Amino acid sequence: MKIKRINLSNFRQFYGKKNIIEFSTDNIKNVTVIHGENGVGKTTLLNSILWCFYDKFTTDFEQQEKIINNDAKAAGVKTCQVEIVFIHEDKTYSATRIYDADLKKSTLSLFVIDNGNYQPIKSELRFLNSVIPEDMAEYFLFHGEGILELQSTINRFRKAIRDILGFTLAEKAIDDLSIIKNKWNSKLNKINSEKTKFTKANENLNICKRSLTIKRSELSSLNEKYSELMTQKKYLENEIVNCKIEDASVIKKQILDLSKNRSSRENDLKREQRKRQKFISDYGWKVFGLEISENSLDFIDTSTLTGKIPAPYDETLVNDIVATARCICGREVCHGSEEYETIQALLDRANTAEIRSNILKARSFAQTVGDHAQVFIEDFTSVNKAINKYNNEIAALSDKLKRLNIQLDNIDDKKLNVLRADEKNVSAKLSNTEVSINQLNRDISILVSNQALLQREVDKNVPQDKESYSILQSIAFVQNLIDFCQLRLNETEKESKSLIAKDVNDILNTFSRKDFSVKVTDSFSFELVSSDGDVVAKSKGERLLLNLSFVSALIKMAAQRSKASGKFLQPGTVAPFIIDAPFGELDETYRKATAQFLPNNSEQLVLLLSSSHWQGAVGNTIQEKIGSEYILISHKTSAQGSKPLDEIKIDDQVYKQSKYKDKFTGTSIMRVK
């Protein structure tokens, strides 16, 4: 979709019925530039598009209920409207939204334009959502400050990716399937209300599953919060290192180095503690069996073999003597004689092959217990020495860090004191968040174990009647669908995260002055990473460059997915990138870089710029890509006095952006190119 024209009639600052902008739809000169100073109507223009399509505004758009121009209202006008003419799949459409002050509501009309004829389209919102889905719209219409704060809100990056990928429909399907599953469960419990063991176990299982879902969601949010706090902490640390107080900078560098070493030692300590725990789990019990194994060997070697005839001759020998009535010495053994009874009695104490085998196994096992016990004691002693070593090193590093932090706090500088206070505040939040994360992990572990136990209890008491069996089959089928959908979403999300990171890295590698790359964490935080792998604290300019790169990559992905087939995910879209004041926090180098990559990553780019953003690098860099250019002129009924004319120079011509002692107060549109 490309916007061809917009016409604002008595909408906010725009007085009158003919406030028209013709946007460039050229594939090469794909940039439309709209110049305007603050308060003249750049943000209004951006919001007029959002309002026309979806009857909503950006969150920073003030006094949203007052959209009829004041002068028009004073003249008795009770309506305002915005018309947008756009091209989609080689057809031209017109969308018009009209607000009626008497009715206090707006209405949308949508037409396809065929040879000048306007043919109405039914289901306007459904059609518009197929052209540019409402969930995606906020990433095509951006206020500069909004794009700077894109990463400051938990989950924004992840939400953006999921919206652009069209997750909304799939997630709605999962929610609907969950509702269906809960209804089946309720019915199952109802028809088995008398089977208390099953219904109680099934109810507890469902409660456990819901608790697990909530806990995992809380954990995800906390992990994202932790990632953001770490970014803030690194930024503050970087500010202290780069402050102009030499002693503070040196001390902070030492603190960071020591903290890094302590963190490494703490990881070593955790590794050895895990190793010790595994030793105890695998071999610890054999230490308690060492004395038993030694005693049992003595017992087996002496008393258990006394008075026995060695197997396998034991039973066979005695039975042969009894059967032939003749001893191995040749003497006759008569039935009932004293000799006969003595030999017969040997069977009661004879070693069978099975007994002999068990004795050998017992001796072997006892020997193994003894050997493993000795190995365990040696390994356990070794790992304990390592644990003590790391504990001592951590204690020594902590002591040094404590002394250095005291030295840093004793430096008398207001700016440094503020930075240190902010750093301590963030560190405290990090510590509390980490405690909460650890507690949630423990809670989740317990819930997972409980779920397994409850599932076994349900399975053991599951009803056997035909109706219950049918319902259980339905529940299982719905759960399989939910699991499949979630798996598909997770796989798609993971793949797209890597693709977007690649696109962002391509932009940064080309335009960033520093050797940074982007790393996407599991919690979808986009972090700048140095060549040695350390996370780098971002300045405002670098954060804005990163966010602009990210949104450009999103728009590119949306365009690539515009022809996506299949019914699982909502297709992407080709749409204009309309951005208000994107260069505020960028220096000249980054402004030039942004002016280069934005047109190349957008099918249609609309820039709303103040003169301070336009002059210099931006104007010089983007000039050859401009296909359409306008100035927003501010009109005032008052005298000029000492107020400026707000002049702007475009193509060697100077334009005045303010007019005084005029017939109305508001904004008009002047075409430059």
Side-chain angles (χ1 to χ4, degrees), residues 255-284:
I255 289 173
L256 292 177
D257 288 341
L258 287 172
S259 297
K260 190 174 181 180
N261 289 337
R262 184 174 67 176
S263 179
S264 178
R265 296 288 79 77
E266 286 171 344
N267 288 333
D268 291 336
L269 176 62
K270 289 176 183 177
R271 183 191 65 238
E272 294 301 320
Q273 288 173 334
R274 288 193 298 269
K275 192 186 296 184
R276 180 173 66 178
Q277 188 175 359
K278 191 172 188 306
F279 283 156
I280 294 172
S281 175
D282 292 346
Y283 301 111

PDB file of all heavy atoms in Angstrom, residues 255-284:
ATOM      1  N   ILE A 255      36.818  -0.705  39.668  1.00  0.00           N
ATOM      2  CA  ILE A 255      35.636  -1.385  40.223  1.00  0.00           C
ATOM      3  C   ILE A 255      35.040  -2.345  39.194  1.00  0.00           C
ATOM      4  O   ILE A 255      34.697  -3.490  39.519  1.00  0.00           O
ATOM      5  CB  ILE A 255      34.581  -0.348  40.675  1.00  0.00           C
ATOM      6  CG1 ILE A 255      35.055   0.380  41.933  1.00  0.00           C
ATOM      7  CG2 ILE A 255      33.231  -1.021  40.933  1.00  0.00           C
ATOM      8  CD1 ILE A 255      34.157   1.533  42.356  1.00  0.00           C
ATOM      9  N   LEU A 256      34.935  -1.887  37.960  1.00  0.00           N
ATOM     10  CA  LEU A 256      34.357  -2.731  36.907  1.00  0.00           C
ATOM     11  C   LEU A 256      35.235  -3.950  36.640  1.00  0.00           C
ATOM     12  O   LEU A 256      34.723  -5.064  36.446  1.00  0.00           O
ATOM     13  CB  LEU A 256      34.162  -1.918  35.628  1.00  0.00           C
ATOM     14  CG  LEU A 256      33.094  -0.819  35.685  1.00  0.00           C
ATOM     15  CD1 LEU A 256      33.061  -0.033  34.378  1.00  0.00           C
ATOM     16  CD2 LEU A 256      31.720  -1.415  35.963  1.00  0.00           C
ATOM     17  N   ASP A 257      36.550  -3.756  36.636  1.00  0.00           N
ATOM     18  CA  ASP A 257      37.464  -4.890  36.417  1.00  0.00           C
ATOM     19  C   ASP A 257      37.364  -5.907  37.549  1.00  0.00           C
ATOM     20  O   ASP A 257      37.299  -7.124  37.321  1.00  0.00           O
ATOM     21  CB  ASP A 257      38.910  -4.386  36.296  1.00  0.00           C
ATOM     22  CG  ASP A 257      39.166  -3.659  34.980  1.00  0.00           C
ATOM     23  OD1 ASP A 257      38.369  -3.868  34.039  1.00  0.00           O
ATOM     24  OD2 ASP A 257      40.135  -2.889  34.902  1.00  0.00           O
ATOM     25  N   LEU A 258      37.370  -5.388  38.788  1.00  0.00           N
ATOM     26  CA  LEU A 258      37.261  -6.280  39.947  1.00  0.00           C
ATOM     27  C   LEU A 258      35.905  -6.990  39.970  1.00  0.00           C
ATOM     28  O   LEU A 258      35.818  -8.175  40.323  1.00  0.00           O
ATOM     29  CB  LEU A 258      37.462  -5.491  41.243  1.00  0.00           C
ATOM     30  CG  LEU A 258      38.901  -5.042  41.550  1.00  0.00           C
ATOM     31  CD1 LEU A 258      38.926  -4.112  42.759  1.00  0.00           C
ATOM     32  CD2 LEU A 258      39.802  -6.250  41.796  1.00  0.00           C
ATOM     33  N   SER A 259      34.841  -6.274  39.605  1.00  0.00           N
ATOM     34  CA  SER A 259      33.500  -6.876  39.570  1.00  0.00           C
ATOM     35  C   SER A 259      33.450  -8.003  38.544  1.00  0.00           C
ATOM     36  O   SER A 259      32.822  -9.043  38.775  1.00  0.00           O
ATOM     37  CB  SER A 259      32.446  -5.818  39.231  1.00  0.00           C
ATOM     38  OG  SER A 259      32.387  -4.831  40.228  1.00  0.00           O
ATOM     39  N   LYS A 260      34.126  -7.768  37.419  1.00  0.00           N
ATOM     40  CA  LYS A 260      34.175  -8.799  36.378  1.00  0.00           C
ATOM     41  C   LYS A 260      34.918 -10.036  36.882  1.00  0.00           C
ATOM     42  O   LYS A 260      34.485 -11.175  36.665  1.00  0.00           O
ATOM     43  CB  LYS A 260      34.862  -8.232  35.131  1.00  0.00           C
ATOM     44  CG  LYS A 260      34.759  -9.106  33.906  1.00  0.00           C
ATOM     45  CD  LYS A 260      35.329  -8.403  32.688  1.00  0.00           C
ATOM     46  CE  LYS A 260      35.200  -9.280  31.446  1.00  0.00           C
ATOM     47  NZ  LYS A 260      35.767  -8.593  30.244  1.00  0.00           N
ATOM     48  N   ASN A 261      36.036  -9.803  37.588  1.00  0.00           N
ATOM     49  CA  ASN A 261      36.793 -10.927  38.148  1.00  0.00           C
ATOM     50  C   ASN A 261      35.983 -11.662  39.209  1.00  0.00           C
ATOM     51  O   ASN A 261      36.000 -12.901  39.266  1.00  0.00           O
ATOM     52  CB  ASN A 261      38.106 -10.421  38.761  1.00  0.00           C
ATOM     53  CG  ASN A 261      39.092  -9.967  37.707  1.00  0.00           C
ATOM     54  OD1 ASN A 261      39.007 -10.401  36.549  1.00  0.00           O
ATOM     55  ND2 ASN A 261      40.024  -9.103  38.072  1.00  0.00           N
ATOM     56  N   ARG A 262      35.302 -10.905  40.053  1.00  0.00           N
ATOM     57  CA  ARG A 262      34.491 -11.549  41.096  1.00  0.00           C
ATOM     58  C   ARG A 262      33.361 -12.368  40.475  1.00  0.00           C
ATOM     59  O   ARG A 262      33.079 -13.479  40.929  1.00  0.00           O
ATOM     60  CB  ARG A 262      33.907 -10.494  42.043  1.00  0.00           C
ATOM     61  CG  ARG A 262      33.128 -11.133  43.207  1.00  0.00           C
ATOM     62  CD  ARG A 262      32.677 -10.111  44.224  1.00  0.00           C
ATOM     63  NE  ARG A 262      31.689  -9.201  43.686  1.00  0.00           N
ATOM     64  CZ  ARG A 262      31.068  -8.263  44.401  1.00  0.00           C
ATOM     65  NH1 ARG A 262      31.356  -8.121  45.693  1.00  0.00           N
ATOM     66  NH2 ARG A 262      30.182  -7.461  43.835  1.00  0.00           N
ATOM     67  N   SER A 263      32.737 -11.818  39.443  1.00  0.00           N
ATOM     68  CA  SER A 263      31.681 -12.560  38.753  1.00  0.00           C
ATOM     69  C   SER A 263      32.214 -13.869  38.173  1.00  0.00           C
ATOM     70  O   SER A 263      31.554 -14.907  38.248  1.00  0.00           O
ATOM     71  CB  SER A 263      31.085 -11.687  37.644  1.00  0.00           C
ATOM     72  OG  SER A 263      30.084 -12.386  36.948  1.00  0.00           O
ATOM     73  N   SER A 264      33.441 -13.808  37.626  1.00  0.00           N
ATOM     74  CA  SER A 264      34.058 -15.021  37.079  1.00  0.00           C
ATOM     75  C   SER A 264      34.312 -16.041  38.182  1.00  0.00           C
ATOM     76  O   SER A 264      34.055 -17.243  38.011  1.00  0.00           O
ATOM     77  CB  SER A 264      35.367 -14.652  36.376  1.00  0.00           C
ATOM     78  OG  SER A 264      36.006 -15.804  35.887  1.00  0.00           O
ATOM     79  N   ARG A 265      34.825 -15.565  39.330  1.00  0.00           N
ATOM     80  CA  ARG A 265      35.072 -16.475  40.465  1.00  0.00           C
ATOM     81  C   ARG A 265      33.755 -17.060  40.999  1.00  0.00           C
ATOM     82  O   ARG A 265      33.702 -18.221  41.411  1.00  0.00           O
ATOM     83  CB  ARG A 265      35.791 -15.733  41.596  1.00  0.00           C
ATOM     84  CG  ARG A 265      37.188 -15.231  41.268  1.00  0.00           C
ATOM     85  CD  ARG A 265      38.227 -16.362  41.172  1.00  0.00           C
ATOM     86  NE  ARG A 265      38.154 -17.060  39.919  1.00  0.00           N
ATOM     87  CZ  ARG A 265      38.636 -16.599  38.755  1.00  0.00           C
ATOM     88  NH1 ARG A 265      39.210 -15.410  38.701  1.00  0.00           N
ATOM     89  NH2 ARG A 265      38.540 -17.312  37.654  1.00  0.00           N
ATOM     90  N   GLU A 266      32.706 -16.246  41.017  1.00  0.00           N
ATOM     91  CA  GLU A 266      31.400 -16.734  41.486  1.00  0.00           C
ATOM     92  C   GLU A 266      30.869 -17.830  40.557  1.00  0.00           C
ATOM     93  O   GLU A 266      30.271 -18.809  41.030  1.00  0.00           O
ATOM     94  CB  GLU A 266      30.414 -15.571  41.566  1.00  0.00           C
ATOM     95  CG  GLU A 266      30.681 -14.645  42.749  1.00  0.00           C
ATOM     96  CD  GLU A 266      29.843 -13.379  42.718  1.00  0.00           C
ATOM     97  OE1 GLU A 266      29.287 -13.062  41.646  1.00  0.00           O
ATOM     98  OE2 GLU A 266      29.741 -12.708  43.756  1.00  0.00           O
ATOM     99  N   ASN A 267      31.103 -17.683  39.271  1.00  0.00           N
ATOM    100  CA  ASN A 267      30.707 -18.739  38.331  1.00  0.00           C
ATOM    101  C   ASN A 267      31.522 -20.002  38.565  1.00  0.00           C
ATOM    102  O   ASN A 267      30.990 -21.120  38.500  1.00  0.00           O
ATOM    103  CB  ASN A 267      30.888 -18.253  36.888  1.00  0.00           C
ATOM    104  CG  ASN A 267      29.866 -17.219  36.491  1.00  0.00           C
ATOM    105  OD1 ASN A 267      28.761 -17.189  37.029  1.00  0.00           O
ATOM    106  ND2 ASN A 267      30.206 -16.348  35.546  1.00  0.00           N
ATOM    107  N   ASP A 268      32.833 -19.826  38.847  1.00  0.00           N
ATOM    108  CA  ASP A 268      33.678 -20.988  39.161  1.00  0.00           C
ATOM    109  C   ASP A 268      33.184 -21.679  40.429  1.00  0.00           C
ATOM    110  O   ASP A 268      33.152 -22.920  40.510  1.00  0.00           O
ATOM    111  CB  ASP A 268      35.132 -20.546  39.358  1.00  0.00           C
ATOM    112  CG  ASP A 268      35.776 -20.082  38.057  1.00  0.00           C
ATOM    113  OD1 ASP A 268      35.302 -20.511  36.983  1.00  0.00           O
ATOM    114  OD2 ASP A 268      36.743 -19.292  38.115  1.00  0.00           O
ATOM    115  N   LEU A 269      32.813 -20.872  41.415  1.00  0.00           N
ATOM    116  CA  LEU A 269      32.313 -21.422  42.682  1.00  0.00           C
ATOM    117  C   LEU A 269      31.032 -22.224  42.459  1.00  0.00           C
ATOM    118  O   LEU A 269      30.887 -23.342  42.992  1.00  0.00           O
ATOM    119  CB  LEU A 269      32.061 -20.279  43.668  1.00  0.00           C
ATOM    120  CG  LEU A 269      31.448 -20.663  45.022  1.00  0.00           C
ATOM    121  CD1 LEU A 269      32.376 -21.599  45.782  1.00  0.00           C
ATOM    122  CD2 LEU A 269      31.133 -19.411  45.844  1.00  0.00           C
ATOM    123  N   LYS A 270      30.119 -21.663  41.670  1.00  0.00           N
ATOM    124  CA  LYS A 270      28.870 -22.372  41.389  1.00  0.00           C
ATOM    125  C   LYS A 270      29.133 -23.690  40.666  1.00  0.00           C
ATOM    126  O   LYS A 270      28.480 -24.693  40.929  1.00  0.00           O
ATOM    127  CB  LYS A 270      27.945 -21.488  40.549  1.00  0.00           C
ATOM    128  CG  LYS A 270      27.356 -20.310  41.316  1.00  0.00           C
ATOM    129  CD  LYS A 270      26.528 -19.423  40.406  1.00  0.00           C
ATOM    130  CE  LYS A 270      25.991 -18.209  41.151  1.00  0.00           C
ATOM    131  NZ  LYS A 270      25.236 -17.301  40.253  1.00  0.00           N
ATOM    132  N   ARG A 271      30.121 -23.679  39.764  1.00  0.00           N
ATOM    133  CA  ARG A 271      30.460 -24.904  39.036  1.00  0.00           C
ATOM    134  C   ARG A 271      30.967 -25.989  39.986  1.00  0.00           C
ATOM    135  O   ARG A 271      30.550 -27.142  39.915  1.00  0.00           O
ATOM    136  CB  ARG A 271      31.541 -24.597  37.993  1.00  0.00           C
ATOM    137  CG  ARG A 271      31.914 -25.794  37.119  1.00  0.00           C
ATOM    138  CD  ARG A 271      33.145 -25.540  36.293  1.00  0.00           C
ATOM    139  NE  ARG A 271      34.324 -25.366  37.122  1.00  0.00           N
ATOM    140  CZ  ARG A 271      35.103 -24.288  37.124  1.00  0.00           C
ATOM    141  NH1 ARG A 271      34.827 -23.261  36.337  1.00  0.00           N
ATOM    142  NH2 ARG A 271      36.156 -24.230  37.913  1.00  0.00           N
ATOM    143  N   GLU A 272      31.835 -25.600  40.927  1.00  0.00           N
ATOM    144  CA  GLU A 272      32.373 -26.576  41.884  1.00  0.00           C
ATOM    145  C   GLU A 272      31.293 -27.043  42.856  1.00  0.00           C
ATOM    146  O   GLU A 272      31.275 -28.214  43.257  1.00  0.00           O
ATOM    147  CB  GLU A 272      33.543 -25.949  42.658  1.00  0.00           C
ATOM    148  CG  GLU A 272      34.759 -25.626  41.809  1.00  0.00           C
ATOM    149  CD  GLU A 272      35.334 -26.851  41.120  1.00  0.00           C
ATOM    150  OE1 GLU A 272      35.384 -27.923  41.754  1.00  0.00           O
ATOM    151  OE2 GLU A 272      35.725 -26.745  39.941  1.00  0.00           O
ATOM    152  N   GLN A 273      30.387 -26.152  43.234  1.00  0.00           N
ATOM    153  CA  GLN A 273      29.291 -26.545  44.125  1.00  0.00           C
ATOM    154  C   GLN A 273      28.360 -27.547  43.442  1.00  0.00           C
ATOM    155  O   GLN A 273      27.888 -28.494  44.075  1.00  0.00           O
ATOM    156  CB  GLN A 273      28.516 -25.305  44.578  1.00  0.00           C
ATOM    157  CG  GLN A 273      29.283 -24.440  45.564  1.00  0.00           C
ATOM    158  CD  GLN A 273      28.587 -23.126  45.868  1.00  0.00           C
ATOM    159  OE1 GLN A 273      27.822 -22.618  45.039  1.00  0.00           O
ATOM    160  NE2 GLN A 273      28.848 -22.554  47.036  1.00  0.00           N
ATOM    161  N   ARG A 274      28.110 -27.310  42.146  1.00  0.00           N
ATOM    162  CA  ARG A 274      27.296 -28.283  41.390  1.00  0.00           C
ATOM    163  C   ARG A 274      28.013 -29.628  41.289  1.00  0.00           C
ATOM    164  O   ARG A 274      27.384 -30.684  41.381  1.00  0.00           O
ATOM    165  CB  ARG A 274      26.988 -27.735  39.996  1.00  0.00           C
ATOM    166  CG  ARG A 274      25.979 -26.606  39.974  1.00  0.00           C
ATOM    167  CD  ARG A 274      25.475 -26.331  38.570  1.00  0.00           C
ATOM    168  NE  ARG A 274      26.536 -25.902  37.674  1.00  0.00           N
ATOM    169  CZ  ARG A 274      26.867 -24.640  37.470  1.00  0.00           C
ATOM    170  NH1 ARG A 274      26.216 -23.672  38.107  1.00  0.00           N
ATOM    171  NH2 ARG A 274      27.838 -24.314  36.636  1.00  0.00           N
ATOM    172  N   LYS A 275      29.330 -29.569  41.107  1.00  0.00           N
ATOM    173  CA  LYS A 275      30.124 -30.798  41.018  1.00  0.00           C
ATOM    174  C   LYS A 275      30.056 -31.565  42.342  1.00  0.00           C
ATOM    175  O   LYS A 275      29.884 -32.786  42.364  1.00  0.00           O
ATOM    176  CB  LYS A 275      31.580 -30.441  40.685  1.00  0.00           C
ATOM    177  CG  LYS A 275      32.433 -31.638  40.285  1.00  0.00           C
ATOM    178  CD  LYS A 275      33.894 -31.248  40.109  1.00  0.00           C
ATOM    179  CE  LYS A 275      34.070 -30.266  38.966  1.00  0.00           C
ATOM    180  NZ  LYS A 275      35.527 -29.979  38.765  1.00  0.00           N
ATOM    181  N   ARG A 276      30.177 -30.836  43.460  1.00  0.00           N
ATOM    182  CA  ARG A 276      30.095 -31.479  44.775  1.00  0.00           C
ATOM    183  C   ARG A 276      28.725 -32.101  45.001  1.00  0.00           C
ATOM    184  O   ARG A 276      28.616 -33.227  45.515  1.00  0.00           O
ATOM    185  CB  ARG A 276      30.400 -30.455  45.876  1.00  0.00           C
ATOM    186  CG  ARG A 276      30.343 -31.060  47.282  1.00  0.00           C
ATOM    187  CD  ARG A 276      30.813 -30.080  48.331  1.00  0.00           C
ATOM    188  NE  ARG A 276      29.932 -28.938  48.461  1.00  0.00           N
ATOM    189  CZ  ARG A 276      30.105 -27.955  49.340  1.00  0.00           C
ATOM    190  NH1 ARG A 276      31.146 -27.971  50.156  1.00  0.00           N
ATOM    191  NH2 ARG A 276      29.257 -26.947  49.392  1.00  0.00           N
ATOM    192  N   GLN A 277      27.696 -31.386  44.600  1.00  0.00           N
ATOM    193  CA  GLN A 277      26.343 -31.911  44.756  1.00  0.00           C
ATOM    194  C   GLN A 277      26.152 -33.199  43.961  1.00  0.00           C
ATOM    195  O   GLN A 277      25.527 -34.142  44.423  1.00  0.00           O
ATOM    196  CB  GLN A 277      25.334 -30.863  44.301  1.00  0.00           C
ATOM    197  CG  GLN A 277      23.889 -31.225  44.597  1.00  0.00           C
ATOM    198  CD  GLN A 277      22.937 -30.089  44.242  1.00  0.00           C
ATOM    199  OE1 GLN A 277      23.359 -29.046  43.791  1.00  0.00           O
ATOM    200  NE2 GLN A 277      21.661 -30.323  44.446  1.00  0.00           N
ATOM    201  N   LYS A 278      26.749 -33.229  42.755  1.00  0.00           N
ATOM    202  CA  LYS A 278      26.641 -34.433  41.928  1.00  0.00           C
ATOM    203  C   LYS A 278      27.401 -35.599  42.550  1.00  0.00           C
ATOM    204  O   LYS A 278      26.948 -36.743  42.527  1.00  0.00           O
ATOM    205  CB  LYS A 278      27.174 -34.161  40.518  1.00  0.00           C
ATOM    206  CG  LYS A 278      26.851 -35.268  39.516  1.00  0.00           C
ATOM    207  CD  LYS A 278      27.230 -34.861  38.117  1.00  0.00           C
ATOM    208  CE  LYS A 278      26.739 -35.886  37.098  1.00  0.00           C
ATOM    209  NZ  LYS A 278      27.153 -37.247  37.365  1.00  0.00           N
ATOM    210  N   PHE A 279      28.584 -35.310  43.120  1.00  0.00           N
ATOM    211  CA  PHE A 279      29.341 -36.356  43.812  1.00  0.00           C
ATOM    212  C   PHE A 279      28.513 -36.975  44.926  1.00  0.00           C
ATOM    213  O   PHE A 279      28.443 -38.202  45.080  1.00  0.00           O
ATOM    214  CB  PHE A 279      30.631 -35.781  44.403  1.00  0.00           C
ATOM    215  CG  PHE A 279      31.724 -35.555  43.393  1.00  0.00           C
ATOM    216  CD1 PHE A 279      32.719 -34.618  43.640  1.00  0.00           C
ATOM    217  CD2 PHE A 279      31.765 -36.269  42.210  1.00  0.00           C
ATOM    218  CE1 PHE A 279      33.726 -34.400  42.712  1.00  0.00           C
ATOM    219  CE2 PHE A 279      32.761 -36.050  41.281  1.00  0.00           C
ATOM    220  CZ  PHE A 279      33.748 -35.115  41.526  1.00  0.00           C
ATOM    221  N   ILE A 280      27.892 -36.120  45.715  1.00  0.00           N
ATOM    222  CA  ILE A 280      27.081 -36.612  46.843  1.00  0.00           C
ATOM    223  C   ILE A 280      25.911 -37.439  46.334  1.00  0.00           C
ATOM    224  O   ILE A 280      25.587 -38.498  46.871  1.00  0.00           O
ATOM    225  CB  ILE A 280      26.588 -35.427  47.700  1.00  0.00           C
ATOM    226  CG1 ILE A 280      27.770 -34.733  48.370  1.00  0.00           C
ATOM    227  CG2 ILE A 280      25.578 -35.894  48.737  1.00  0.00           C
ATOM    228  CD1 ILE A 280      27.424 -33.446  49.084  1.00  0.00           C
ATOM    229  N   SER A 281      25.283 -36.948  45.263  1.00  0.00           N
ATOM    230  CA  SER A 281      24.134 -37.658  44.700  1.00  0.00           C
ATOM    231  C   SER A 281      24.530 -39.020  44.141  1.00  0.00           C
ATOM    232  O   SER A 281      23.830 -40.015  44.337  1.00  0.00           O
ATOM    233  CB  SER A 281      23.494 -36.800  43.602  1.00  0.00           C
ATOM    234  OG  SER A 281      22.464 -37.497  42.965  1.00  0.00           O
ATOM    235  N   ASP A 282      25.662 -39.059  43.435  1.00  0.00           N
ATOM    236  CA  ASP A 282      26.069 -40.298  42.761  1.00  0.00           C
ATOM    237  C   ASP A 282      26.763 -41.298  43.676  1.00  0.00           C
ATOM    238  O   ASP A 282      26.561 -42.507  43.560  1.00  0.00           O
ATOM    239  CB  ASP A 282      27.005 -39.971  41.586  1.00  0.00           C
ATOM    240  CG  ASP A 282      26.279 -39.241  40.469  1.00  0.00           C
ATOM    241  OD1 ASP A 282      25.030 -39.235  40.489  1.00  0.00           O
ATOM    242  OD2 ASP A 282      26.946 -38.671  39.583  1.00  0.00           O
ATOM    243  N   TYR A 283      27.623 -40.793  44.610  1.00  0.00           N
ATOM    244  CA  TYR A 283      28.483 -41.711  45.372  1.00  0.00           C
ATOM    245  C   TYR A 283      28.413 -41.563  46.888  1.00  0.00           C
ATOM    246  O   TYR A 283      28.951 -42.394  47.609  1.00  0.00           O
ATOM    247  CB  TYR A 283      29.949 -41.506  44.956  1.00  0.00           C
ATOM    248  CG  TYR A 283      30.206 -41.737  43.489  1.00  0.00           C
ATOM    249  CD1 TYR A 283      30.525 -40.679  42.651  1.00  0.00           C
ATOM    250  CD2 TYR A 283      30.122 -43.013  42.940  1.00  0.00           C
ATOM    251  CE1 TYR A 283      30.755 -40.879  41.289  1.00  0.00           C
ATOM    252  CE2 TYR A 283      30.357 -43.233  41.595  1.00  0.00           C
ATOM    253  CZ  TYR A 283      30.676 -42.160  40.773  1.00  0.00           C
ATOM    254  OH  TYR A 283      30.898 -42.368  39.446  1.00  0.00           O
ATOM    255  N   GLY A 284      27.760 -40.516  47.354  1.00  0.00           N
ATOM    256  CA  GLY A 284      27.788 -40.250  48.783  1.00  0.00           C
ATOM    257  C   GLY A 284      27.291 -41.405  49.640  1.00  0.00           C
ATOM    258  O   GLY A 284      27.852 -41.697  50.693  1.00  0.00           O
TER     259      GLY A 284
END
